[in-house]
Amino acid sequence: MWVMNLMEKLDALPADCFRSRRICFQRIRTEEDLFRMGLLSLPPEQQAAVNPLWFSLGRAYIAPEQNVPFLILQRVDERPAVIGFIQLHKRLGTEREALSWSFFIIPAFQGMGLGAEAAKLAISLLRSAMPEVPIHLSVERDNSAGRRLYAKLGLHLSRERDGDDLVYVLP
C-alpha cells in the first residue's frame, strides 16, 4: 500500500505558509539547527506534558517522511529568537491514519499566546498539506493548559485513547 509522504507534502507548500504574524516554523536541517534545538528546555514540572526532544528526533530519524521537526521562532528581527519546538507527524499503524504534532514553548515565552499561535499554524499547515487526513492530538490527562488550548481551537475530546492520554480530534 502506498503511503502519502507528509514531508513531501509540506515541502511543496509555499514558504509563507510556515509563518504567522508573530512566529514562524523553521525546518531542522543543519547541525546549527540541532544545536539551537538542544538549548531548549522545560522545567521538570512541565517535562512530562510533552515528548522529550530525543524521542521526537528519534522518530524523525527512523521515519523522516512522516515526522518533520521544526524550531519555533519568534519573528522580531533579523535573527529571530528560538522559542520552542514542534514536530508535525503522520501517525501510521493505528486503526486509521491521522495527522498530529508534539510541541512546546519555553517558559520565557509562555503566557503570551505564542503556543496558541503555533497550534493554529500547525493546523493550517497540516490542513494545507493533507486536507483529507484527520487531525488527532494526544494530551496527558493532567495537562490542563493543553486541554484548554485544544478545546479553544475547536478540537473535541474523543472516546479514543492513546495509552493513558486523552485524544482530541479536529472534525
Side-chain angles (χ1 to χ4, degrees), residues 94-112:
T94 58
E95 292 177 17
R96 53 181 178 234
E97 295 176 342
L99 299 171
S100 189
W101 68 78
S102 178
F103 86 114
F104 66 87
I105 302 294
I106 59 174
F109 293 92
Q110 292 175 4
M112 300 177 191

Side-chain angles (χ1 to χ4, degrees), residues 56-124:
S56 294
L57 285 179
R59 274 184 165 173
Y61 177 77
I62 291 169
E65 56 285 331
Q66 304 306 340
N67 297 280
V68 187
F70 297 87
L71 295 170
I72 302 173
L73 307 175
Q74 185 180 32
R75 297 177 63 190
V76 290
D77 56 31
E78 288 294 315
R79 181 98 168 137
V82 177
I83 63 167
F85 170 83
I86 189 164
Q87 181 156 296
L88 305 178
H89 62 267
K90 184 172 180 198
R91 298 186 325 180
L92 303 172
T94 58
E95 292 177 17
R96 53 181 178 234
E97 295 176 342
L99 299 171
S100 189
W101 68 78
S102 178
F103 86 114
F104 66 87
I105 302 294
I106 59 174
F109 293 92
Q110 292 175 4
M112 300 177 191
L114 297 170
E117 198 164 332
K120 288 176 188 174
L121 185 56
I123 290 170
S124 175

Side-chain angles (χ1 to χ4, degrees), residues 7 12 16 20 24 28 33 51 54 84 89 96 101 105 119 128 134 144 161 168-169 171:
M7 183 191 309
D16 63 338
S20 68
C24 65
I28 295 174
D33 295 340
N51 287 330
W54 62 264
H89 62 267
R96 53 181 178 234
W101 68 78
I105 302 294
S128 295
S144 57
R161 297 293 177 260
Y168 281 77
V169 177

Side-chain angles (χ1 to χ4, degrees), residues 19 22 28 31 54 56 88 118 127 139 143 149 154 165 168 171:
R19 293 189 287 269
R22 298 185 299 158
I28 295 174
E31 285 184 17
W54 62 264
S56 294
L88 305 178
R127 283 287 187 239
V139 63
N143 183 351
L149 172 61
D165 294 348
Y168 281 77

Side-chain angles (χ1 to χ4, degrees), residues 8-22:
E8 288 176 354
K9 295 284 188 172
L10 290 170
D11 284 347
L13 296 176
D16 63 338
C17 289
F18 295 85
R19 293 189 287 269
S20 68
R21 189 172 64 80
R22 298 185 299 158

